[in-house]
Amino acid sequence: MSRPAQESSVQERPAEARPARRMWPLYAAGFTTAFGAHSVAANLAQGGEGLARSVLYLGVLLALYDGAEIVLKPVFGTLADRVGARPVLLGGLLAFAAASGLFLAVRDPQWLWAARLGQGAAASAFSPAASALVARLNPAARHGRAFGSYGFWKSLGYAGGPLLGSALVWAGGLPLLFAVLTALPLAVAGWVAAAVPSLPPLPRTRQTLLDLAHRLGDGAFLRQVAALAASTAALSVGVGFLPATGRADGLPPLATGAAVSVLALCAALVQPRVGRAHDSGRLSARQGLLGGLLATAAGLAVAAAVPGVAGLLSAAVLTGAGTGALTPIGFARLAATSPPERLGQTMGAAELGREAGDAAGPLLVGAVASTAGLPWGYAALAAATALLIPVLRR
């Protein structure tokens, strides 16, 4: 049997008679990493007067989580290929619970840096492992739907994290939030152990650093990662800067908060629908990615040009819909074009690109806004997003 045929059979056998329940623990893992990141980030200033006063220390705490992910996601993605994605997923969830439990045990704001660094390192393990399992447990014909559903639950974690985290902090302070973040990954780990099958690592050919650089430098791979980076850049800018635009326009906090909720909700709802349309052949990958980039760029342009509630909500809807279209198709295409035995490595590298977009988008908008005003910052990111359209049309 030829190697392609072998790979196809290895991918498809776990999908035969595959119960949907096997996917739900993976969706829960996606929710956990997003909820853990945003629930704590939105409430770190509640850790004490020293944290509220020290903007520098607060910034370091915020950066530790993302910094750990940027460094470690490709490493753990490669490890998932070597030992299997399920053990890495379980180890990451247990490590996240341990890092959260550390702060719960000491209850000292001075230890927040260790807890936050540990959470970021743990999320670096189970995030790419979960993505690799989503790909392996589904045939290629269902990748769009599977990644759309995974992205839906992850988006709910991003959207609900600040709100639910604030409610927990209000009820019991940071210790209650970290108690939930200790119990949640433990529960998900138990669910994964009970419901997700153990898929053995696939046989791999030897890969040199030059081979790795050649594969990750391939134009098709870079185009998908660029689309995913544009998605996270726009989403991060929308969540961070749309409230500032609303305040500048004299809108009440309720309106600015509603805009962010609309953005997150649109991103969550669009992903499964776009994934199903892609799997059924009604929407090609090229059409979905180009449409997502156009909607994202249009949303940023509206934020730059249209004032008031109409502009704010229109920008939120367009940006949310655009980013929601880019994410499932981008990951589905990455899974389809990756060697099956290198799925973890591919997902880890793609996640690194997403983290880069998450950081670069706000930095670009903030840098331009500091000299020319926030509308020009939106316009700069809209132009950068639009520049990817001819690249993806190749």
Side-chain angles (χ1 to χ4, degrees):
M1 183 184 293
S2 66
R3 179 175 173 81
Q6 287 177 328
E7 291 173 350
S8 175
S9 64
V10 171
Q11 272 193 299
E12 291 174 4
R13 273 197 297 269
E16 294 174 3
R18 179 191 61 259
R21 66 182 180 86
R22 292 181 177 181
M23 298 304 300
W24 283 103
L26 303 181
Y27 301 155
F31 176 87
T32 299
T33 183
F35 177 77
H38 281 212
S39 62
V40 177
N43 292 283
L44 278 173
Q46 308 301 320
E49 292 184 6
L51 278 173
R53 289 195 304 265
S54 178
V55 177
L56 176 60
Y57 185 41
L58 192 60
V60 170
L61 289 176
L62 290 169
L64 280 173
Y65 192 101
D66 290 330
E69 289 192 305
I70 288 173
V71 173
L72 294 176
K73 274 186 174 179
V75 176
F76 283 116
T78 301
L79 181 65
D81 292 330
R82 186 178 299 274
V83 303
R86 185 173 177 267
V88 175
L89 173 59
L90 286 170
L93 288 165
L94 294 175
F96 196 98
S100 303
L102 171 67
F103 178 78
L104 186 61
V106 299
R107 302 198 179 200
D108 183 352
Q110 298 302 317
W111 282 87
L112 271 173
W113 69 269
R116 198 63 177 154
L117 182 62
Q119 287 178 333
S124 304
F126 70 80
S127 184
S131 296
L133 282 168
V134 169
R136 284 199 65 188
L137 286 171
N138 288 274
R142 289 180 54 91
H143 278 169
R145 181 177 303 184
F147 279 108
S149 297
Y150 180 74
F152 171 82
W153 286 102
K154 203 167 184 178
S155 294
L156 286 187
Y158 286 132
L163 180 62
L164 294 176
S166 296
L168 290 169
V169 170
W170 174 81
L174 279 180
L176 180 57
L177 174 58
F178 275 84
V180 171
L181 292 177
T182 302
L184 176 61
L186 285 176
V188 175
W191 197 2
V192 169
V196 176
S198 181
L199 302 180
L202 297 175
R204 300 181 304 154
T205 57
R206 183 176 178 273
Q207 178 180 253
T208 66
L209 289 177
L210 185 61
D211 295 331
L212 174 62
H214 178 74
R215 187 167 67 83
L216 298 185
D218 178 71
F221 174 83
L222 291 177
R223 285 192 288 272
Q224 309 306 322
V225 172
L228 291 171
S231 169
T232 56
L235 194 60
S236 181
V237 164
V239 170
F241 287 97
L242 284 181
T245 296
R247 286 194 298 270
D249 289 340
L251 300 178
L254 182 61
T256 59
V260 174
S261 297
V262 166
L263 187 152
L265 186 61
C266 286
L269 293 177
V270 164
Q271 290 190 56
R273 289 165 172 77
V274 167
R276 286 194 293 269
H278 173 64
D279 290 342
S280 67
R282 291 181 286 116
L283 183 69
S284 69
R286 185 181 181 189
Q287 290 171 333
L289 292 175
L290 292 177
L293 286 173
L294 280 171
T296 302
L300 293 166
V302 167
V306 182
V309 174
L312 199 67
L313 292 180
S314 297
V317 169
L318 286 168
T319 304
T323 58
L326 291 170
T327 303
I329 293 183
F331 274 114
R333 291 303 303 155
L334 284 171
T337 56
S338 170
E341 71 276 14
R342 304 284 181 187
L343 268 172
Q345 187 180 77
T346 299
M347 295 304 170
E351 291 281 0
L352 175 60
R354 280 166 55 85
E355 294 294 336
D358 196 19
L363 284 175
L364 172 63
V365 172
V368 174
S370 65
T371 57
L374 191 50
W376 285 105
Y378 291 132
L381 185 57
T385 303
L387 286 175
L388 290 175
I389 293 174
V391 175
L392 288 178
R393 293 182 66 181
R394 294 176 184 173

